[in-house]
Amino acid sequence: MAWNEPGNGQKDPWNRNRQGGRKPDLDGAIKNIKARFGRFGAGSGGVAAIIAVFIVAWLLVSSYTVIDARQVGVVLRFGQFSRILPPGFHLKAPAPIETVTKVETTQVRSISDNVSMLTRDENIIAIDFNVQYQVADARKFLYSNADVENGTIANAAEAAVRSVVGANVMDNILTTPGVDSPAPDQAPVTGVAPAAKETLQQQTRDILQATLDKYDAGVTVTGVSFQNVAPPKEVKDAFDDVNAAREDKQSEENKARAYESQVVPVARGEAARIAAEAEAERVERIARANGDVERFNLILKEYRAAPEVTRRRLWLETVEEVMAGNPKVIDGTNGKNIIQLPVDGQSNSSVRNVPGVGTVVQSATTEPNAQGNAQ
């Protein structure tokens, strides 16, 4: 027999007997519950009880708060600062006694703006800048200034950028790799060169952070970047012409440097060669002079030993040197007949026998032999 079939002693699945085998009266149970709640809320006492229940529930819900890991909570007690809650679960007095404002401290916030400003040489320049910052002190961030993000930080950032740009001339800002130290070998480009850009950004960041610290803004500036630095549109064509001229100038300078790199080494090599030759000649002349001095000293020593002999030998050697390259006529007839024959134009030594005269010799060196003939 199925458990739900009619009959005496009918059992349900939990092995419990039903009274008289009747089905449960669900409609009646619902009516009883409604009647009880109706009696509970009837009259002024019932309404107060309901309100009290809601108040208690609300107080329980508002007596705690959960702070996310990226946040801190600023607690105000009756509108006055009380404490800072770190991340986690915290109990607090229910509102409106204490209220908690959660502030993101790890979030990197940013503001951007485009401004036109004057440089030190009274030129107008347009700059797009971006400032990134984080909350360092939640209490100061919320309550030290009326509008920190859209008011204080934006105005301080613009003032910092104007201060830095106003202290530099336009050429330094647009074309040079350093703020006050232009490099002549750097090719000019449109916009701020990398080194100048980093320097300007760092200066702006330092000035902005100092200003915000004076305002007790409770933020830390993590970065300042210049997205675009350019002259105004009205004078852009003129600046493009200037940049083109600078590029031409740089090109000519590069060609000159290339020529210099070719010519200078050659000139230095030639100078080194001349210096080496001069040094060699100097050494040679010194050595020759020392040799002459030594030779003179030897001759002087011989002259002191035998003056007449030495004097005659020196005279003969001198005559020999003088007569060595000149034409000579040697008379072999004992002075009877002397005929001088021109033999110019003969490069080699020549010997001729002339009847009745003797032997005519043209030579660089001649010495008489034992028979009186010249060689």
Side-chain angles (χ1 to χ4, degrees), residues 25-89:
D25 189 2
L26 297 179
D27 293 336
I30 292 174
K31 290 179 180 179
N32 291 334
I33 293 173
K34 288 182 178 180
R36 290 178 182 178
F37 272 98
R39 290 194 302 269
F40 181 76
S44 60
V47 174
I50 293 175
I51 294 174
V53 170
F54 278 105
I55 291 175
V56 171
W58 176 68
L59 291 176
L60 291 176
V61 172
S62 63
S63 295
Y64 73 92
T65 184
V66 178
I67 307 300
D68 190 75
R70 298 170 298 177
Q71 302 173 333
V72 295
V74 181
V75 180
L76 297 181
R77 181 176 297 168
F78 296 111
Q80 185 179 6
F81 174 78
S82 174
R83 62 189 181 279
I84 297 292
L85 298 179
F89 178 85

Side-chain angles (χ1 to χ4, degrees), residues 142-270:
L142 291 176
Y143 307 116
S144 293
N145 296 274
D147 188 2
V148 174
E149 293 189 276
N150 298 325
T152 304
I153 298 178
N155 295 333
E158 181 177 348
V161 174
R162 290 185 182 277
S163 175
V164 172
V165 173
N168 295 275
V169 298
M170 176 170 277
D171 288 342
N172 287 342
I173 298 173
L174 288 177
T175 60
T176 57
V179 175
D180 293 320
S181 58
D185 57 347
Q186 177 94 10
V189 295
T190 301
V192 180
K197 188 174 183 180
E198 294 177 0
T199 304
L200 292 174
Q201 291 174 168
Q202 184 62 41
Q203 291 179 356
T204 304
R205 176 183 173 183
D206 295 340
I207 294 174
L208 177 58
Q209 185 65 63
T211 303
L212 294 176
D213 290 343
K214 292 179 181 179
Y215 291 162
D216 286 335
V219 298
T220 299
V221 180
T222 59
V224 175
S225 60
F226 296 156
Q227 276 76 28
N228 184 33
V229 179
K233 297 179 180 179
E234 294 77 7
V235 295
K236 184 177 183 301
D237 294 338
F239 271 88
D240 291 341
D241 293 340
V242 172
N243 287 333
R246 285 174 176 167
E247 290 176 359
D248 294 340
K249 172 179 173 290
Q250 186 65 35
S251 176
E252 294 299 325
E253 289 179 354
N254 292 336
K255 291 179 181 179
R257 290 191 182 92
Y259 178 75
E260 177 188 10
S261 63
Q262 295 177 355
V263 173
V264 170
V266 175
R268 288 175 178 172
E270 185 67 16

Side-chain angles (χ1 to χ4, degrees), residues 336-347:
K336 294 180 180 180
N337 295 311
I338 298 176
I339 301 176
Q340 184 175 358
L341 300 178
V343 290
D344 295 339
Q346 297 181 1
S347 58

Side-chain angles (χ1 to χ4, degrees), residues 269-285:
E270 185 67 16
R273 183 186 66 80
I274 294 174
E277 291 179 354
E279 179 66 18
E281 184 177 0
R282 183 185 70 85
V283 173
E284 180 183 0
R285 288 190 178 186

